[in-house]
Amino acid sequence: MSVNRMRLLGADKTQAPLLELHFSRRQQRCLENIRILLEAKRSSDALPDADQLYAESVAEPVRNAQAAVRGSELAVIWRLLGYLKPYRADVWIGGLAAILLTLLALVPPFLSGKLIDGLQQGADLESLFQLVGLMAAAVVLRTFFLWVRLRRMAMMGERVAHDIRQHVYGHLQTLSLRFFTRKQTGSIIARCSSDTDRLWDVLAFGVIEVALAVLMLLGLGGVLLVLDWRLGLVLTLPVPVILFAFYRHSTGMQTTFLKAWRKWSDLTSVLSGTIPGMRVVKAFHQEEREVRRFGRENDACLETFTRIHKVWTNFWPLLSFGFQIITLTMYVFALPRLTGGTEPALSIGIFVTFLLYAGMFMQPLETIGQMTRMMNLAVSSAHRIFEILDTEPQIQDTQDAVVLSPLQGAIVFDQVGFTYDGVRPVLKEISFSVNPGEVIGLVGPSGAGKSTIIQLLARFYDPVLGRILVDGVDLRQVDLGAYRRQVGMVLQDPYLFHGSLMDNIAYGMENPDPGAVIEAARAAHAHDFICGFEQGYETMVGERGQTLSGGERQRISIARAILHNPKILILDDATSNVDTETERKIQDALDRLVEGRTVIAIAHRLSTLRRASRLVVLKDGRIVESGTHDELLQMESGVFRKLVDLQQELHQRFAI
């Protein structure tokens, strides 16, 4: 990243690698925003403060990166430790067992030195066997405490990982649709699965291992200095240098790990994007292309992880070499004293104790070094998890939210304006009202803003300008859960979950009555084809309902809406993708569904909106016409009349 660009965005020079990682991924989007901004500034319809909106769109990814950099490793680990609070008993028992395990590990080497000195001094056999018995007792107790520690901490680690997964997934359910349109599905899946699982080992063992390693270093250092301060200094003085090397190595690896996991998310995104669309891949014979695309991401992962392993494998052999040099240095200082050539003399027992403790001395240093690598992995994953958890839902209830129950269904759009990207307006000064029980049709060319209106009515988004009133209350002040339970949607492309037909129809109901499910299926003209399956309502449908035809999926969706019994019904072009006979059945089911409800319907087949009490015609985000079907047809130069004439011309061509 250039110095000028960093200065413009307020970034620190030390943050350049991570900021470059975030910035480059979205640089093309920022350039696209420049183009949109220039077009918007030439138009009188541009939203206010376009320059500020552009600056925000450019700076957003960099601000996110800076926030990630500012979250120090220690702060992230401390936050992770908060998930251990429900398991304090396990932490205390496992920690106490680990401390006793560490203290008992110091006993055998010390007793071994005493045993050797006793042999040299001609101690009686009974005293020597007592020392052996104490060593055996230490080994037995150490094995027991090892079992306690492993059992407690392993179980606790699994439960903590379970809690984090549950927390992340639960928070995902609260986030607005805008979040999911900006994030790749594979990235979200990786954070909920592999990233949370990666924290298990660190939370269960990593933190305690590091604490015990520090405790072991302090204990060993104290014992060695007490036994012989000269040889003790040979082993203890290099420790600060080694710990500093660990710190530098860890700091240098953190950015690389973050980049590696983003590459892994890209790889997962290829899978999550391709597998659901496998029919399209095969229909266009693009298997080789998808293999090449996966190969590029796979190669990128290999390159990044190879870089990690190169750094890691270069560091550890050098560190191991340093350990061996320290041990050889101890021999250099000890041998003259063992042979009596230098004062003070050193006994063989104490020297053997030093040798055994020297091996143990390197173990906690190696543990700390290995833990720094594990911590880097965990912190990288934790950053990605906390990025989700720290994302505030844009659509949420106010503290004094109004519960509209029962909902009457009166709707008012008052000077509503909306934009998805903060620059390009999609809706402009939209105003219309719907009375309870009225059927309103939204028509207009593609891109006019019809689907945006129903998404605002479902409160998937909030308007940028103006307000939407439901039963006289601003929709932003309405209790969201109570409201959505009384709103039903039948979409152009209905989504069915992997499961039984019974489960799909009853989706959203706590304890559905099977009889009510069957009645809803009858009303939606779905009962007959369901009974044609060998397992009836227990028939399993594939992911996204791909084992059913388009008309069958649509009728299942209508049955779901009938069972839901909504007060406000949203129909988004529910009959556009089916044949004429199926359309007649679906239309008949819709006629039953709309009775006594406030209905907002979108239809590209304009003939299906004849029964609507009023049509609202949109073009370029504005309402250009409004009236009944017959009234709009009489406007020879009107937008609706042109759409009808164009459809009739197309039907005639297809008929020929």
Side-chain angles (χ1 to χ4, degrees), residues 2 7 29 65 93 243 329 383 465-466 496 541 592-593 649:
S2 68
R7 186 179 298 115
R29 185 184 301 178
I93 293 174
L243 293 178
T329 304
H383 270 303
L465 302 173
L496 299 186
V541 297
R592 300 183 187 184
L593 179 58
E649 181 182 349

Side-chain angles (χ1 to χ4, degrees), residues 199-218:
L199 301 177
W200 173 88
D201 205 17
V202 171
L203 290 174
F205 299 105
V207 176
I208 288 184
E209 288 282 0
V210 172
L212 290 179
V214 173
L215 178 64
M216 177 71 83
L217 284 177
L218 293 175

Side-chain angles (χ1 to χ4, degrees), residues 270-312:
V270 173
L271 292 172
S272 61
T274 303
I275 293 175
M278 193 58 71
R279 289 188 179 185
V280 178
V281 173
K282 292 188 175 297
F284 287 89
H285 192 55
Q286 293 298 303
E287 293 91 342
E288 292 184 2
R289 175 188 176 185
E290 293 300 330
V291 170
R292 289 195 300 271
R293 190 160 72 99
F294 182 85
R296 286 194 296 270
E297 299 297 343
N298 200 18
D299 291 343
C301 282
L302 176 63
E303 179 184 354
T304 308
F305 281 99
T306 299
R307 191 178 308 127
I308 290 174
H309 291 304
K310 283 182 178 179
V311 175
W312 176 65

